[in-house]
Structure formats: structure tokens, C-alpha cells
Amino acid sequence: MSVMDRSTRLPTADEIAGINRTHLIETPLRPADLLFMFGTREDVGLRADTAARLWREGYFRGSIVSGGVTPGSEQSECTVIKAAMIAAGIPADRILEEHRAMNTGENVIFSLPIIDAALSLANIRSVICLGNTWTARRYPMTLHRHWPEVTKMLLTVDSFATPRALWHTDAEFCRRMLHEWDKIELYRAKGFIAEWPEA
């Protein structure tokens, strides 16, 4: 069955349980050295507002936004998200920028030299990954593949009215979740991601 077929059918009870248990991971948050904001066109305002709340509550000292120009827009995801973060109250000088990435792997690969030049990777011991609910653990798994040394925390947001554990009852939420879930084993096999959290 192709990935396309999987995203248009209902998942089995075992798949629902597996996704809820292993993909939709929630980690306790504690103050981190860096907030890593992965690029998106979805729920930008919600993402920026969440980052601003974390900033006000002292959960990070610096941040990086990563995301390139996607079809249908002349501005990079980074440009759009950073503007929303500033509007939400995060100081511009606390937001590093990466404007080329077109996927999660590039988000990390292209951001690491920028973080290193500005802050020194040696000074970063903990990172909060902030992104879409359906992408979930693939953010820290990608980060873990390229930057295993840092402690990773995960916070995800979405604007679906459907509770997260009932994602399978909303057609669009279900489609997005299965689309991402299908990438995990493929990406692991190709070495794009590394197991996280580690057993």
C-alpha cells in the first residue's frame, strides 16, 4: 500500500495506539539554551504566540527559525515566522535566521553552522523543538541525528478543535498524521533521523 493510500484510509486500532504512544511524545519542559523553531506555513500565529509565552516564562535564552521559500510565497518561512515572533514580543536580537531549508533535515543541517557562529554549539546544552503536532517526534529525531550531544525537549501545537489523542476522528488531522507517521521508518532506514528518545 502506497503512502498516498495510507493517508486516505482509516488507521487500525493498533496504529492509533502506536502513534499515540510513540509518535505523539510529550516531554517535560524546563528552561533551555535554545528554542528551535522549525519552518511551516501552518498555524504560524499559534506557533509564534507559543514561542512568546515560552520567552515570557523564561524557557529559552535564544532561538533560531529555519525555513526557506516555499511555492506560492515570495518570503521564506523564516521571514514570516520571525516577524510573527517579534510581533508577539520576542526581541529580534534573540532570533537567529536560516532561510534555505526545504525540509526537516535541512532545517537542522543548515542551522547548525549559524548557531555555532552566533552562540557556539559548545555553549548549547539543551534545545526545545517547537513545531506541528503531526510532525511530532520527527523534529527531535532529526536533531538527534545531527546533534546528539544536546538534551532535546519537544513541544507541538495545532489549531485543530479535535483533542490530540483523537486525531484519527478528524479527516484532515488523520491525513497529516499518517503522512508523517509513514516517513519515520523510511527516514530512519535512510539515516535521516536517529532514535529518540533513546531506550
Side-chain angles (χ1 to χ4, degrees):
M1 185 173 286
S2 73
V3 169
M4 197 61 116
D5 293 332
R6 285 178 61 84
S7 68
T8 57
R9 67 164 176 77
L10 291 176
T12 66
D14 283 347
E15 281 180 306
I16 293 167
I19 289 170
N20 285 346
R21 184 179 66 254
T22 66
H23 189 58
L24 294 178
I25 291 172
E26 293 183 2
T27 63
L29 287 185
R30 64 177 189 275
D33 296 316
L34 185 75
L35 176 74
F36 200 122
M37 183 79 89
F38 288 82
T40 188
R41 294 290 178 193
E42 301 287 343
D43 298 331
V44 169
L46 175 60
R47 185 96 61 101
D49 288 345
T50 302
R53 176 178 57 80
L54 293 177
W55 169 256
R56 288 191 303 271
E57 295 175 1
Y59 276 98
F60 64 92
R61 296 183 297 164
S63 62
I64 186 161
V65 182
S66 172
V69 177
T70 54
S73 177
E74 294 180 357
Q75 292 185 309
S76 69
E77 291 176 338
C78 176
T79 298
V80 173
I81 295 169
K82 180 175 179 178
M85 290 170 70
I86 293 168
I90 301 173
D93 65 358
R94 295 302 181 116
I95 307 171
L96 299 174
E97 304 175 33
E98 189 291 306
H99 294 275
R100 296 186 298 142
M102 298 303 292
N103 57 55
T104 308
E106 290 183 354
N107 285 143
V108 175
I109 292 167
F110 294 163
S111 291
L112 287 178
I114 295 169
I115 297 167
D116 196 29
L119 305 171
S120 178
L121 293 178
N123 291 329
I124 308 297
R125 294 174 306 282
S126 55
V127 178
I128 296 172
C129 302
L130 178 57
N132 298 320
T133 295
W134 50 91
T135 309
R137 67 175 172 148
R138 195 160 63 79
Y139 295 123
M141 290 180 83
T142 306
L143 199 61
H144 198 59
R145 164 67 179 79
H146 301 284
W147 199 8
E149 300 84 6
V150 295
T151 298
K152 296 153 196 80
M153 292 165 274
L154 175 63
L155 179 62
T156 61
V157 296
D158 65 78
S159 58
F160 286 105
T162 304
R164 189 168 296 183
L166 297 178
W167 57 267
H168 54 282
T169 66
D170 181 292
E172 180 58 18
F173 207 169
C174 185
R175 185 193 69 77
R176 293 185 193 183
M177 194 71 74
L178 289 178
H179 182 69
E180 291 297 331
W181 174 248
D182 282 339
K183 294 177 181 178
I184 296 292
E185 289 308 319
L186 174 64
Y187 283 13
R188 197 197 325 261
K190 290 187 173 184
F192 295 165
I193 59 178
E195 190 56 47
W196 180 91
E198 293 177 294

